[in-house]
């Protein structure tokens, strides 16, 4: 994908066209096409030359990587420029690429599908701030709603407004929002997309020293997001530069992004802001999939793509998922997908040294670029895999997850992890052996019922893992049952 935006042009090469594509290469060129528009509304020769040079490099790099397909999309600056067709034609002559110039409605639509691609059944309003425009649209589960708009409230025009007077800029922004902003009629959630708004999330994460540094899926109460945005909107570039983890390329435009965020939240009054790394490019890819592929769970697809190729026995993941099916009575769909994702990741670190498997897996999952997952769900998976590798759910782990998991969620993650550890140990990671046993957590004991004890003899290691599961579940007994009769206790 080559994304020709108003402020930057970006190349992203994905490993495949799937429900959970992983970026293999990502590079951005800051060409500021919007700034290259003259008084007559034409892109300058210098702006066109800079853009074509960047795109030629991206095209050459992609071809050298044996990329099978290159899609080029252009947005606000190109569609607004009177000579946008000249840029498109020059790109064609230099590279052979056919560039599709999106309308404002198309940009809002594909951006919203990006949120649908990156989250599990999202509901709310999506806002995408770019260099030239702000697109807002409604998402309802698996489709984009009818209410959408595109407004000239990108970081570059707003920055220009702010050079005159911040209060005047507020009034002009509010007038555009009141005239065009669709009402928030679904869940009270605002999904924020765009580098400027992701920079706000990065600053907030760093200010609070949070254990998960991934912006995608980061959630803030709307009142906190607006308070931070209002503060940054009035900062000088020097003050912005002193903010923790602020991207250097966003220093000059971050106050403008913050001002738009503040005014949007003032008008919409949502309860929560959720930040998304997925937007236009991912929405375009999502719309290339058939309906069956679109309906796949992005978390499970990503977990399987990471966990199964590196597992000793890839088939064991499904067997473990079946084996733990009855572990939690009344399990909700949102809980089931986490359990199955954990089962898909259960053998991800078997090549690591035994002393570091648990903690390395924990830290990796906290930061891994999964999609379709919230930060609390990340923490749940991280604790489950830590426990699967025998790690202790100690004070350090509890401290890292305290703001993300309740005590009952933490306990549930540990129980799942200890059950997976038991399953691996009992069966030697062989699906056929695992199917010869049932696991039950009852009021007085955890019971491993072995259907054919002669073919699967007991072991001290199995009894030890059974005891660990009982401790996690908070029950006194732990026993292996053969044909309805206890065969071993610990």
């Amino acid at each position: 994908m080559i994304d020709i935006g108003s402020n930057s042009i970006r190349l992203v090469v994905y490993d495949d066209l799937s429900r959970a594509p992983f970026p293999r290469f990502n590079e951005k060129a800051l060409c500021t096409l919007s700034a290259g528009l003259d008084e007559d509304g034409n892109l300058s020769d210098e702006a066109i030359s800079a853009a074509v040079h960047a795109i030629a490099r991206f095209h050459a790099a992609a071809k050298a990587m044996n990329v099978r397909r290159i899609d080029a999309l252009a947005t606000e600056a190109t569609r607004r420029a009177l000579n946008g067709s000249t840029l498109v034609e020059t790109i064609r002559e230099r590279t052979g690429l056919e560039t599709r110039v999106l309308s404002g409605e198309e940009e809002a639509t594909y951006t919203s599908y990006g949120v649908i691609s990156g989250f599990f059944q999202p509901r709310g309003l999506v806002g995408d701030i770019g260099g030239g425009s702000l697109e807002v649209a409604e998402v309802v589960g698996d489709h984009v709603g009818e209410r959408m708009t595109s407004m000239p409230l990108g970081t570059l025009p707003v920055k220009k407004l702010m050079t005159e007077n911040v209060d005047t800029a507020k009034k002009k922004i509010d007038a555009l929002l009141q005239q065009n902003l669709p009402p928030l009629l679904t869940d009270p959630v605002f999904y924020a997309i765009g580098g400027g708004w992701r920079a706000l999330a990065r600053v907030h994460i760093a200010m609070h020293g949070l254990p998960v540094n991934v912006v995608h899926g980061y959630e803030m109460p709307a009142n906190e997001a607006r308070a931070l945005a209002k503060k940054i909107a009035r900062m000088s570039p020097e003050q912005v530069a002193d903010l923790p983890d602020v991207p250097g390329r966003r220093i000059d435009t971050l106050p403008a992004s913050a001002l738009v965020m503040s005014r949007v939240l003032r008008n919409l009054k949502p309860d929560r802001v959720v930040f998304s790394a997925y937007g236009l490019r991912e929405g375009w890819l999502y719309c290339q999939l058939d309906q069956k592929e679109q309906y796949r769970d992005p978390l499970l697809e990503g977990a399987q793509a990471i966990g199964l190729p590196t597992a000793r026995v890839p088939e064991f993941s499904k067997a473990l998922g079946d084996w733990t099916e009855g572990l939690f009575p009344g399990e909700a769909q949102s809980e089931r997908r986490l359990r199955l994702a954990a089962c898909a990741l259960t053998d991800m670190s078997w090549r690591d040294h035994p002393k570091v498997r648990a903690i390395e897996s924990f830290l990796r999952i906290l930061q891994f670029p999964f999609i379709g997952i919230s930060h609390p769900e990340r923490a749940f998976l991280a604790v489950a895999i830590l426990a699967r590798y025998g790690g202790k759910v100690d004070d350090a782990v509890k401290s890292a997850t305290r703001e993300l998991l309740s005590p009952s969620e933490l306990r549930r993650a540990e129980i799942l992890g200890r059950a997976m550890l038991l399953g691996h140990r009992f069966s030697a990671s062989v699906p056929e052996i695992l199917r010869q046993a049932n696991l039950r957590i009852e009021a007085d004991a955890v019971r491993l019922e072995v259907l054919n004890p002669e073919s699967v003899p007991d072991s001290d290691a199995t009894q030890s893992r059974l005891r660990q599961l009982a401790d996690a579940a908070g029950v006194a007994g732990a026993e292996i049952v053969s044909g309805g009769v206890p065969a071993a206790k610990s």
Side-chain angles (χ1 to χ4, degrees):
M1 293 287 301
I2 296 179
D3 181 358
I4 306 168
S6 300
N7 193 38
S8 63
I9 300 176
R10 186 183 292 273
L11 167 72
V12 184
V13 177
Y14 297 90
D15 59 352
D16 61 3
L17 184 62
S18 67
R19 186 62 183 84
F22 284 94
R24 289 182 56 186
F25 182 77
N26 189 326
E27 184 174 311
K28 178 173 68 175
L30 207 60
C31 295
T32 57
L33 280 177
S34 282
L37 285 168
D38 61 24
E39 293 180 358
D40 296 327
N42 289 300
L43 291 167
S44 67
D45 292 342
E46 293 78 8
I48 291 177
S49 177
V52 172
H53 177 80
I55 293 166
R57 167 182 161 70
F58 291 163
H59 179 257
K63 298 298 287 185
M65 296 170 69
N66 295 319
V67 172
R68 297 190 302 273
R69 170 178 167 180
I70 304 173
D71 291 357
L73 304 178
T75 54
E76 169 72 8
T78 307
R79 69 172 172 259
R80 184 157 56 93
L82 296 179
N83 63 342
S85 59
T86 301
L87 173 60
V88 171
E89 180 60 30
T90 308
I91 293 170
R92 182 188 299 116
E93 291 174 354
R94 180 76 180 272
T95 66
L97 288 172
E98 294 293 339
T99 302
R100 176 164 174 171
V101 182
L102 300 178
S103 68
E105 182 174 320
E106 286 177 322
E107 187 175 353
T109 298
Y110 286 121
T111 295
S112 299
Y113 275 117
V115 169
I116 290 171
S117 172
F119 291 89
F120 182 66
Q121 294 289 309
R123 292 173 58 87
L125 281 183
V126 172
D128 179 15
I129 190 167
S133 61
L134 168 68
E135 279 70 44
V136 179
E138 183 180 58
V139 289
V140 187
D142 61 359
H143 67 277
V144 178
E146 296 180 358
R147 288 180 286 272
M148 64 180 63
T149 187
S150 178
M151 296 165 278
L153 291 176
T155 55
L156 297 179
V158 171
K159 179 185 175 185
K160 186 175 180 180
L161 283 176
M162 293 174 71
T163 59
E164 303 168 11
N165 183 280
V166 173
D167 291 329
T168 301
K170 285 181 184 178
K171 292 177 182 178
K172 291 183 178 179
I173 292 169
D174 285 344
L176 277 170
L177 292 176
Q178 289 165 13
Q179 183 179 356
N180 296 282
L181 196 63
L184 183 53
L185 301 177
T186 55
D187 291 357
V189 182
F190 182 69
Y191 292 91
I193 304 172
W197 285 351
R198 287 193 294 271
L200 291 175
R202 285 179 55 170
V203 168
H204 193 263
I205 289 170
M207 287 174 64
H208 291 80
L210 301 179
V212 181
N213 295 317
V214 180
V215 168
H216 185 75
Y218 182 59
E219 182 177 309
M220 291 173 62
N223 59 342
E224 284 188 33
R226 184 161 185 246
L228 177 64
K230 287 174 65 177
K231 181 178 180 181
I232 293 177
R234 291 192 172 274
M235 285 185 175
S236 67
E238 293 75 20
Q239 291 172 316
V240 173
D242 287 337
L243 292 170
D245 200 31
V246 65
R249 287 185 170 183
R250 300 289 173 186
I251 291 173
D252 287 341
T253 57
L254 188 57
S257 299
L259 182 61
V260 177
M261 170 70 81
S262 170
R263 307 320 289 175
V264 167
L265 297 182
R266 179 180 180 273
N267 278 269
L268 287 179
K269 296 179 173 57
D271 290 343
R272 296 175 287 137
V273 178
V274 179
F275 294 88
S276 174
Y278 270 38
L280 174 66
R281 295 181 295 274
E282 292 77 19
W284 172 265
L285 292 179
Y286 177 83
C287 289
Q288 314 305 309
L289 304 175
D290 60 40
Q291 191 175 70
K292 181 179 179 181
E293 184 77 11
Q294 288 178 346
Y295 282 166
R296 295 183 185 276
D297 188 318
L299 171 60
L300 295 182
E301 293 298 303
Q304 290 171 2
I306 292 302
L308 301 191
T310 59
R312 290 168 291 181
V313 185
E315 299 80 9
F316 192 72
S317 169
K318 184 181 184 308
L320 194 58
D322 295 340
W323 194 66
T324 56
E325 188 70 40
L327 194 61
F328 303 107
E331 183 180 54
Q333 174 61 21
S334 59
E335 296 166 337
R336 182 175 186 271
R337 64 192 294 266
L338 286 178
R339 178 174 57 80
L340 294 180
C343 290
L345 298 168
T346 186
D347 215 22
M348 62 180 285
S349 300
W350 70 272
R351 288 186 176 89
D352 293 347
H353 192 282
K355 289 188 177 180
V356 301
R357 284 175 188 161
I359 191 62
E360 289 294 328
S361 299
F362 175 78
L363 295 174
R364 183 182 179 194
I365 290 174
L366 280 183
Q367 314 300 341
F368 196 83
F370 289 118
I371 59 174
I373 188 172
S374 66
H375 281 208
E377 290 170 335
R378 282 179 175 278
F380 182 94
L381 282 183
V383 172
I385 298 300
L386 171 104
R388 172 266 178 272
Y389 281 113
K392 294 182 179 179
V393 183
D394 55 18
D395 289 343
V397 172
K398 292 176 181 177
S399 176
T401 60
R402 183 171 293 117
E403 300 300 320
L404 299 169
L405 297 176
S406 67
S408 62
E409 291 167 335
L410 182 71
R411 178 169 169 265
R412 186 187 186 97
E414 184 179 4
I415 290 171
L416 175 58
R418 301 304 184 204
M420 293 192 295
L421 176 59
L422 172 64
H424 275 281
R425 176 56 60 187
F426 166 74
S427 68
S429 303
V430 178
E432 291 76 12
I433 295 179
L434 190 66
R435 295 187 187 105
Q436 296 181 35
N438 295 319
L439 178 64
R440 303 196 310 273
I441 300 178
E442 299 175 342
D444 62 332
V446 174
R447 293 184 172 87
L448 180 66
E449 182 180 302
V450 182
L451 306 181
N452 187 357
E454 293 181 0
S455 64
V456 189
D458 182 23
S459 72
D460 291 342
T462 298
Q463 293 181 33
S464 172
R465 303 304 187 272
L466 190 65
R467 179 67 262 168
Q468 290 179 11
L469 175 56
D471 289 343
V475 298
E479 57 187 36
I480 299 174
V481 180
S482 302
V485 179
K489 293 185 178 181
S490 60

